[in-house]
Amino acid sequence: MYLMSINIKAKKYLSVTLLITLGLFVVLRIAYWFHLENGYHDTKQQSRAQIKELVSFLSGSLSRYQSIPHVLSTNPLLANALLRQDDPETIKPLNQYLQEIQSITESLDIYLINADGKAIAASNWHQSYSFIGQNFAFRPYFKQAIKGELGRYFAVGTSSNKRGYYFSYPIYANSYPIEASQADAKVLGVIVVKVDVSEIEQQSTGMARASNYEFAITDPDNIIFLSSSTSWRLRSLTPITEEKRISIQESRRYANRVVSPLAIKPPYDETLNEKFQIYQISTDTAATIDYMDSKAAMADAGWKVHILAPMTPTYNALPPLLMLYGAIYLLFAVALLYAVERRKNTLKLRQAHEQLEQRVQERTQALETSNRQLKETQDELIQAAKLTVIGSLSASINHEINQPLAAIRSYAQNTQTLLSRGKWDDVSSNIMTIIELTDRLAAIVSQFKSFTRKSRGNDKAISIATCITDALTIIQPEVDKQGVELVLHNADTKAQIWCDSIRLQQVLINLMSNAIVAMHQSSPKKLIIGVTQNERLHITIEDTGTGIEESQMKKIFDPYFTSSRQGLGLGLSISRRIVEAMQGQITVANRSEGGAIFNISLPIHASENN
């Protein structure tokens, strides 16, 4: 019996052990799948944001140069040089002009090609690799431009052996072709601007390193020509067949550089539409790492941008997680086997949970109270800033109000005299004038009363034109007093944004007031307010003052930083917080003509085209 009892217990323990082991395997398997899928989803979502940011940066970097060849094509020097390309006295000043433009625009090279594809003038005319005399008729950018189109193309220079992106534009016989006759105008040649993509690559690599990813930009042949990894450059994602090799050599796109296939597993297939595409790729350190590939097309440039997110962090997080799940599972199994201990532990856990909830509630209440106090303090600070602005304008405000008051008194005294003489027509005219003056006073006081009232934070669709007009109503007395010339560009736009109009007025008034102060010692004094819109609405406020020192540029929006002896240095800090609360941005720079320019960028609620 004793042996039988031991045998039964042994079988029971063995069964329980097998059951626990099987359960542990199932739990670990499910946990592994769940967290791996979750890691894939998180990585994919992060890559989408990163690729959007990278594409935006690349597009912006290239767009800086897109209009340069068009602008240059309007210069009569180019058409004249093409008509007299054998005259050294005509070509020499053009070479110097192109060299100067290349230096200003920070482009790599600028050169002029005749209708036969031969370069007759270039910014690198004095360099050993000068393009002058080289024939570029085989380049697609030349073929596009000679047809009257804007040309775009990426290639490695056959003379300079440097990677570059080319923008080209046709040169017409009359230098200024109008749309109606452009199709019939004679194309004399092509102006080309070459952009150094290595600098764009370097800046993009900095972005990639900061966000812990790699990127690769490929051409239509799936050849990587820009990448954060040096070992990936001029590598092909797909195998190089004999046909592809011949095509690459004939296009001379990569000059004499050798293009080899990238070691990638599984083989890259651009037709795949899998949710997650994971590839094993060798890095600069010769290590092989799994990357998740996310890609997006840049149609204008003819590029495909790949974000390759390393899966190592996701993989490295799995073992500790599996260990955690295994430990939790074993603890749970032990708790089931020992019911009494489980009961005690459950009671203790419940008590700890209740204490934690109580602490969370107390902390939550304290946090809500702190947030409410902080919000009240911020509102009071904003209100104080508005009153500070009004205080700084008080002299001009008094002048603006006293003028109509003095006129009312004068007309009233004159009316007494007219009444005694019985001149009723003149009395009526004087009274109408007094009424108009009182209406003017009421409008001024109403605008100041509306501005100084505490904002209730009621956001709604507001007209930018109205907001600027209301702000100018308050600032106009100071403008008149200081003798400032007010210049408005597109200030009557019908565009609308979603915000609190009083707080936006505060930002505008603060910036305008600062601009007027900055022009105290300047001549002439101009306050320039402009409105432009593309994907966002931009409000610019420019002055002709002394500008901002470079050492102060990074600190100008910091709280309590001021270059003036007056004020607390809170105006610009509060303005930036108000703009950021509207999902906008505020930046500052110095004007090339002298003075400062503040730019407010805000999302558009409704444009004038809607």
Side-chain angles (χ1 to χ4, degrees):
M1 293 293 294
Y2 178 73
L3 292 175
M4 186 179 295
S5 176
I6 293 177
N7 193 26
I8 293 174
K9 287 183 178 179
K11 289 183 178 180
K12 182 179 180 181
Y13 290 150
L14 181 60
S15 299
V16 171
T17 302
L18 290 174
L19 184 62
I20 291 175
T21 304
L22 179 61
L24 179 61
F25 175 78
V26 173
V27 167
L28 292 180
R29 183 65 180 173
I30 294 174
Y32 177 84
W33 173 83
F34 175 78
H35 284 286
L36 187 60
E37 283 291 312
N38 192 51
Y40 284 163
H41 278 285
D42 291 345
T43 303
K44 191 70 174 180
Q45 186 175 4
Q46 186 178 20
S47 294
R48 287 172 180 167
Q50 290 167 344
I51 203 168
K52 183 177 181 182
E53 179 185 19
L54 182 58
V55 168
S56 177
F57 169 75
L58 293 171
S59 299
S61 299
L62 292 178
S63 64
R64 291 172 48 200
Y65 302 92
Q66 181 176 342
S67 61
I68 295 176
H70 185 192
V71 173
L72 291 176
S73 70
T74 62
N75 192 326
L77 285 175
L78 276 66
N80 186 42
L82 289 167
L83 292 172
R84 304 173 61 187
Q85 53 189 281
D86 295 328
D87 182 8
E89 297 301 321
T90 302
I91 300 300
K92 182 178 179 181
L94 180 58
N95 284 330
Q96 295 172 346
Y97 170 71
L98 294 180
Q99 181 183 357
E100 181 180 355
I101 296 299
Q102 177 269 328
S103 176
I104 294 173
T105 60
E106 297 181 351
S107 56
L108 195 59
D109 295 298
I110 303 177
Y111 48 103
L112 181 65
I113 305 174
N114 64 18
D116 296 327
K118 181 180 177 181
I120 64 170
S123 60
N124 58 14
W125 59 275
H126 58 296
Q127 300 290 344
S128 59
Y129 59 90
S130 172
F131 293 169
I132 296 177
Q134 298 288 332
N135 194 292
F136 299 96
F138 66 95
R139 288 298 196 190
Y141 63 76
F142 172 78
K143 297 176 181 178
Q144 291 171 332
I146 206 69
K147 294 178 182 179
E149 304 171 359
L150 171 65
R152 292 168 168 263
Y153 192 65
F154 168 84
V156 175
T158 54
S159 299
S160 64
N161 201 29
K162 294 182 180 179
R163 293 174 298 161
Y165 194 83
Y166 299 81
F167 290 101
S168 60
Y169 200 82
I171 306 296
Y172 293 92
N174 56 2
S175 295
Y176 299 95
I178 59 175
E179 295 298 329
S181 61
Q182 184 166 318
D184 300 326
K186 181 181 179 182
V187 177
L188 298 177
V190 173
I191 182 70
V192 183
V193 175
K194 182 179 180 181
V195 181
D196 187 2
V197 296
S198 60
E199 183 178 347
I200 298 174
E201 180 182 57
Q202 184 178 2
Q203 294 175 354
S204 302
T205 300
M207 295 169 56
R209 293 287 180 267
S211 299
N212 191 30
Y213 68 85
E214 303 286 352
F215 73 87
I217 302 175
T218 60
D219 65 7
D221 293 323
N222 288 319
I223 296 175
I224 300 172
F225 57 85
L226 293 180
S227 176
S228 55
S229 175
T230 55
S231 63
W232 295 356
R233 295 168 191 165
L234 294 186
R235 296 292 189 92
S236 175
L237 292 177
T238 54
I240 300 180
T241 62
E242 183 64 20
E243 181 182 357
K244 183 175 181 180
R245 184 185 62 80
I246 294 174
S247 175
I248 293 172
Q249 290 178 349
E250 289 179 349
S251 68
R252 301 176 66 186
R253 186 169 199 160
Y254 297 100
N256 297 322
R257 298 197 185 187
V258 178
V259 179
S260 57
L262 181 67
I264 181 171
K265 295 181 181 179
Y268 178 77
D269 187 353
E270 61 182 337
T271 62
L272 287 179
N273 291 319
E274 294 182 3
K275 190 175 183 181
F276 306 117
Q277 295 182 4
I278 310 297
Y279 296 104
Q280 289 183 352
I281 310 177
S282 297
T283 64
D284 292 340
T285 60
T288 301
I289 298 178
D290 283 5
Y291 291 95
M292 178 180 288
D293 179 29
S294 300
K295 53 184 177 291
M298 291 180 62
D300 290 342
W303 295 354
K304 185 173 289 184
V305 181
H306 297 258
I307 292 292
L308 295 155
M311 297 308 301
T312 305
T314 301
Y315 294 159
N316 290 341
L318 288 175
L321 285 171
L322 294 178
M323 291 179 63
L324 178 62
Y325 276 94
I328 293 174
Y329 172 78
L330 291 175
L331 287 174
F332 180 73
V334 170
L336 289 176
L337 293 174
Y338 300 95
V340 175
E341 195 65 27
R342 179 180 63 84
R343 187 173 181 181
K344 291 180 181 179
N345 290 338
T346 301
L347 180 60
K348 291 180 181 179
L349 185 62
R350 184 180 301 167
Q351 292 174 348
H353 183 68
E354 290 175 354
Q355 290 177 357
L356 181 61
E357 283 188 344
Q358 184 177 357
R359 290 181 181 178
V360 170
Q361 289 178 355
E362 292 173 355
R363 295 287 177 88
T364 302
Q365 290 178 354
L367 184 60
E368 289 177 350
T369 301
S370 299
N371 287 338
R372 185 170 59 255
Q373 292 174 349
L374 178 61
K375 180 64 169 59
E376 292 173 355
T377 302
Q378 289 177 338
D379 290 342
E380 291 298 329
L381 192 60
I382 292 174
Q383 183 67 13
K386 288 198 291 187
L387 296 178
T388 300
V389 173
I390 292 299
S392 65
L393 301 175
S394 59
S396 299
I397 294 171
N398 288 337
H399 177 75
E400 184 73 6
I401 293 177
N402 286 335
Q403 256 191 339
L405 285 175
I408 289 173
R409 178 179 179 84
S410 175
Y411 276 106
Q413 290 175 342
N414 183 255
T415 302
Q416 284 182 328
T417 304
L418 294 174
L419 283 172
S420 63
R421 296 178 180 178
K423 296 183 177 181
W424 306 109
D425 292 340
D426 293 338
V427 167
S428 176
S429 175
N430 279 7
I431 291 175
M432 289 300 296
T433 303
I434 290 172
I435 291 173
E436 291 175 357
L437 289 170
T438 54
D439 287 343
R440 178 184 172 190
L441 276 173
I444 294 171
V445 172
S446 174
Q447 185 60 37
F448 281 103
K449 181 178 179 182
S450 173
F451 175 70
T452 54
R453 186 185 298 118
K454 278 190 176 182
S455 172
R456 298 180 180 178
N458 294 328
D459 291 352
K460 59 182 180 179
I462 66 164
S463 167
I464 280 295
T466 302
C467 199
I468 292 175
T469 300
D470 292 343
L472 288 175
T473 301
I474 294 176
I475 207 71
Q476 190 66 47
E478 187 69 11
V479 170
D480 296 338
K481 179 182 177 182
Q482 299 298 332
V484 176
E485 179 186 351
L486 184 61
V487 181
L488 301 178
H489 296 307
N490 199 29
D492 58 349
T493 177
K494 297 180 181 178
Q496 294 182 335
I497 62 171
W498 189 268
C499 69
D500 183 342
S501 62
I502 297 299
R503 292 198 170 177
L504 182 56
Q505 284 182 41
Q506 180 179 355
V507 174
L508 297 175
I509 290 171
N510 187 60
L511 296 179
M512 294 177 190
S513 178
N514 288 350
I516 294 174
V517 171
M519 294 188 290
H520 274 332
Q521 306 299 325
S522 301
S523 179
K525 300 179 180 180
K526 284 187 180 181
L527 178 60
I528 307 166
I529 301 170
V531 180
T532 58
Q533 65 178 93
N534 37 51
E535 294 179 356
R536 295 169 68 87
L537 187 93
H538 299 274
I539 306 172
T540 56
I541 297 175
E542 306 178 44
D543 63 66
T544 56
T546 56
I548 301 169
E549 296 182 7
E550 290 297 328
S551 60
Q552 299 178 354
M553 195 71 74
K554 295 182 179 180
K555 304 178 183 178
I556 195 167
F557 292 105
D558 292 348
Y560 305 108
F561 177 80
T562 176
S563 59
S564 173
R565 295 183 179 179
Q566 298 180 349
L568 299 176
L570 292 174
L572 290 177
S573 175
I574 291 174
S575 296
R576 182 174 67 176
R577 293 189 180 184
I578 292 174
V579 172
E580 289 177 349
M582 300 174 186
Q583 308 301 314
Q585 291 180 333
I586 180 171
T587 57
V588 62
N590 283 322
R591 301 171 70 242
S592 57
E593 306 90 339
I597 174 171
F598 284 82
N599 180 64
I600 302 172
S601 172
L602 296 168
I604 300 175
H605 177 70
S607 66
E608 47 190 338
N609 296 325
N610 290 351

